[in-house]
Amino acid sequence: MTPNPNLHDSLHDLASEATMTNLLPQVHRTSRTLHRRRTVVRLTVAAAIAVAAITAGPLLLPDRGPSTTPAGPSTSPPTSPPTSPDLIGSDGYGRLKLGMTLAQAIATGELGDTISDQVSCVEATLLDFPDAQVWIDKERGVAVIGIVTGMETTEGIGPDSTVAEARAAYPDYQQTYNTQMTVPRGGDPAAQLKIEHPRNATADTKIDGLSLSTVDQACLN
Amino acid sequence: MAPLPLSGERPPDELVDFDAFVRARTPSLIRAAYLLTGDQHLAEDLVQSALARTHLHWRKIEHHGGGEAYARKVMYHLQVNRWRRRRVAEAIPARLPDRPVRSHDERSVTRLVLRQALMRLTDRQRAVLVLRYFEDMTEAETARMLDISVGTVKSQAAKALAKLRETAPELAAFTAEETAR
């Protein structure tokens, strides 16, 4: 029978091969060496500065000329009124929809810079959110849209939501890994919301990554 | 056994704390280092260097309770940098373990195949895989640990899994499973 362990278990199994040894003596030895090296570097730098100061004489003395005053009174930045977050639906962001071809995606005007152009996928940003990354499969179209601060799902979940809020908003979530929940979003192509969270998260823990993707996306596999 | 310290030579508390920290956390660090280096001796060397550097800043770090996070971060950074310097020497498939591999049971075979497949990845790809699937960190946590962007984590993880599938089709069963992540 072919073993069918997941990568997590296999890595843990492989790591268990490592032999445990007491490293304390070596750690202290290495630490002393590093400390000595650091002291030598510091002394050398200090000596170099001292020599430079003597050689350069008054040039290195602090400038006692009239101090420059900051130009004009400091202006506090105008407080912008709180804006409502941009919504990301179950099929895409704004005019950009999952499954759109690269040409269609570009034509929406929602894309910003191209980060990389790989063999099968193009990685770009959203024009309005340069931190949000979008992956577009050259054959299958828009595959993944990252959701960053300032964006929110139509159910009110954003990168600052807690795990409990996400679970309440999406009771049909599946815990697909111990750091990830997946929410089926239906549609054509079938979409899903990926919600990452730290391991051992409690209800109050903030989620740590959010993206909308097609179920069969191949850009990030 | 080390002689008992004479009175007045008692090591300062911070050193006692550090030693306790090393004793408690070394096993966990060595396991991760073993995956990163594919070799027991290199793993010990890596952990030792990371802990020694942690010791230098211990008073500052420990005050904030960040000893483990610091040591781990130093370890990953050291490995990525060291790998760049010695790429040629270490790109050769890992040495076989010193002790004999248990006879042909499937688990041993999986270990061997996985170890060799891991060694064919780049430093960063392996670090991303170990952080994501061994340390169970999120993409954002992995990005912070390696000081790279979340996008780079995503694409490096994707490339690493693709390469595992290619170099070790025997492992296809689980790498296909991870695709869903």
Side-chain angles (χ1 to χ4, degrees), chain A residues 1 5 17 31 177 196 208, chain B residues 34 99 106 136 138-139 174:
Chain A
M1 203 184 89
E17 271 189 2
S31 173
Y177 195 70
E196 294 229 315
D208 196 21
Chain B
Y34 184 73
R99 69 203 126 115
E106 284 174 349
D136 284 344
T138 63
E139 287 171 346
F174 71 63

Side-chain angles (χ1 to χ4, degrees), chain A residues 1 4-8 12-13 17-21 28 30-31 133 177-179 194 196-197 208 221, chain B residues 19 27 34 40 44 48 55 99 106-107 111 115 132-134 136 138-140 151 158 173-174 179-181:
Chain A
M1 203 184 89
N4 184 19
N6 65 37
L7 186 50
H8 169 95
H12 277 263
D13 184 48
E17 271 189 2
T19 317
M20 293 309 137
T21 41
H28 282 299
T30 315
S31 173
Q133 278 155 309
Y177 195 70
N178 52 17
T179 58
K194 290 271 181 75
E196 294 229 315
H197 58 75
D208 196 21
N221 287 343
Chain B
D19 287 2
Y34 184 73
Q40 176 71 27
E44 286 179 14
Q48 182 186 318
H55 186 216
R99 69 203 126 115
E106 284 174 349
R107 208 164 150 200
R111 281 183 186 177
R115 176 220 286 270
R132 292 278 286 130
Y133 298 101
F134 178 73
D136 284 344
T138 63
E139 287 171 346
F174 71 63
T179 299
R181 286 188 73 187

Side-chain angles (χ1 to χ4, degrees), chain B residues 101-110 112:
Chain B
V101 173
R102 271 178 294 137
S103 65
H104 308 287
D105 70 282
E106 284 174 349
R107 208 164 150 200
S108 303
V109 173
T110 307
L112 206 61

Side-chain angles (χ1 to χ4, degrees), chain A residues 60-218:
Chain A
L60 280 183
L61 291 174
D63 183 3
R64 293 186 188 280
S67 60
T68 48
T69 44
S74 65
T75 47
S76 55
T79 47
S80 53
T83 48
S84 56
D86 279 71
L87 292 182
I88 182 153
S90 59
D91 61 347
Y93 168 77
R95 290 181 297 277
L96 185 71
K97 304 294 179 199
L98 292 174
M100 270 184 175
T101 65
L102 181 58
Q104 289 170 334
I106 293 169
T108 63
E110 301 279 16
L111 295 178
D113 296 331
T114 303
I115 298 173
S116 69
D117 186 351
Q118 296 153 18
V119 181
S120 51
C121 296
V122 172
E123 185 184 353
T125 63
L126 285 179
L127 187 62
D128 294 342
F129 296 97
D131 292 339
Q133 278 155 309
V134 179
W135 278 265
I136 305 150
D137 192 307
K138 290 175 187 171
E139 285 182 11
R140 303 193 217 175
V142 177
V144 183
I145 304 173
I147 302 172
V148 299
T149 304
M151 296 165 77
E152 207 174 83
T153 65
T154 38
E155 289 76 21
I157 297 303
D160 292 324
S161 303
T162 64
V163 169
E165 287 165 349
R167 285 181 179 155
Y170 301 107
D172 56 339
Y173 78 89
Q174 292 154 6
Q175 195 71 43
T176 35
Y177 195 70
N178 52 17
T179 58
Q180 188 185 67
M181 300 186 282
T182 302
V183 183
R185 302 294 274 147
D188 183 25
Q192 61 187 3
L193 195 63
K194 290 271 181 75
I195 304 168
E196 294 229 315
H197 58 75
R199 184 169 57 160
N200 303 328
T202 60
D204 295 336
T205 309
K206 280 197 171 183
I207 62 176
D208 196 21
L210 201 56
S211 65
L212 180 75
S213 58
T214 58
V215 170
D216 63 353
Q217 63 87 13

